[in-house]
Amino acid sequence: MSPTTPEQALAELYAGNRRFVTGAPRHPNQDAGHRAAVADGQHPFAVIVGCSDSRLAAEIIFDRGLGDLFVVRTAGHTAGPEVLGSVEYAVTVLGTPLVVVLGHDSCGAVQAAREAVRTGTSPSGHLGAVVDAVAPSLLRAGREGVEDLDGIVDIHIAQTVETLLARSVVLADAVAAGRCTVVGLSYRLSAGEVRTVAQAQAPAPVGAVPAPAAPADPALAN
């Protein structure tokens, strides 16, 4: 049975990640029979707003299959209008109960933004838009005295969680009603593990920007 609550969905992702890390994946929902079963409709249990990094393939690191995850990927998991619309579609039309912002250590987009802020320059072309979207997280890290790259990545993940809720009244309404929650996870490239770094508080006032909360299970953050 597919998870139907935010708590069940997050637990399923963590369970799949454990299987991936320990080398015991089940590869669920990847057979020909399931391919045919989901051809006429989809009911994903989680939206993954992830970084485009080639090492961050959501279905692999969470050991899931066809129809399980609604994945939206941009460099640095930046959240423009198309990303917001995609998330709103999954939450309102498909009824997906969990939205995950998935970042990772040594993020190239964060490194590029940090260099741009340091030098006062911006990359040419559309890459500048990615840097501009990450820059607020760099400024926030500076205010909080965080200089370590991976610490900045965690701040950027939390910032993206807040951005999704601040810019999407539709998503904020779903969180306030308890139909959905938004969680920020950070992935370790070498270890393959995910950990919770931010979570929207529910219920939350419509249009509000929830503050990051501690993981529900501290052991999962180790």
Side-chain angles (χ1 to χ4, degrees):
M1 296 292 293
S2 182
T4 58
T5 69
E7 295 78 14
Q8 291 171 351
L10 184 59
E12 191 67 30
L13 291 180
Y14 265 112
N17 182 245
R18 288 194 198 95
R19 295 194 299 270
F20 170 69
V21 170
T22 58
R26 298 175 184 170
H27 306 294
N29 300 332
Q30 297 183 21
D31 58 281
H34 189 74
R35 181 185 68 214
V38 299
D40 292 332
Q42 60 173 322
H43 302 283
F45 67 82
V47 182
I48 309 295
V49 180
C51 181
S52 296
D53 191 290
S54 61
R55 300 162 291 182
L56 201 65
E59 285 86 355
I60 294 176
I61 69 174
F62 292 119
D63 190 29
R64 299 309 311 180
L66 299 172
D68 292 332
L69 306 177
F70 191 89
V71 182
V72 186
R73 298 176 70 179
T74 62
H77 48 80
T78 54
E82 295 83 1
V83 171
L84 293 170
S86 299
V87 172
E88 291 178 355
Y89 172 79
V91 171
T92 61
V93 178
L94 303 180
T96 308
L98 177 67
V99 176
V100 171
V101 174
L102 180 63
H104 64 94
D105 57 355
S106 303
C107 180
V110 173
Q111 293 183 56
R114 183 168 67 169
E115 182 65 13
V117 170
R118 186 186 69 82
T119 61
T121 61
S122 182
S124 60
H126 295 291
L127 182 56
V130 175
V131 167
D132 290 344
V134 178
S137 299
L138 270 293
L139 297 176
R140 176 172 169 177
R143 292 193 299 270
E144 297 179 11
V146 177
E147 299 180 355
D148 171 68
L149 176 62
D150 292 338
I152 297 172
V153 167
D154 285 356
I155 288 175
H156 181 50
I157 293 170
Q159 181 87 8
T160 305
V161 168
E162 296 170 9
T163 296
L164 292 177
L165 287 156
R167 294 183 179 175
S168 173
V169 174
V170 171
L171 181 58
D173 282 347
V175 171
R179 298 190 304 272
C180 177
T181 196
V182 186
V183 176
L185 301 182
S186 183
Y187 175 77
R188 297 176 184 174
L189 292 171
S190 60
E193 298 174 337
V194 295
R195 59 188 175 88
T196 301
V197 298
Q199 184 164 346
Q201 296 179 351
V206 174
V209 180
D217 182 355
L220 296 178
N222 293 334

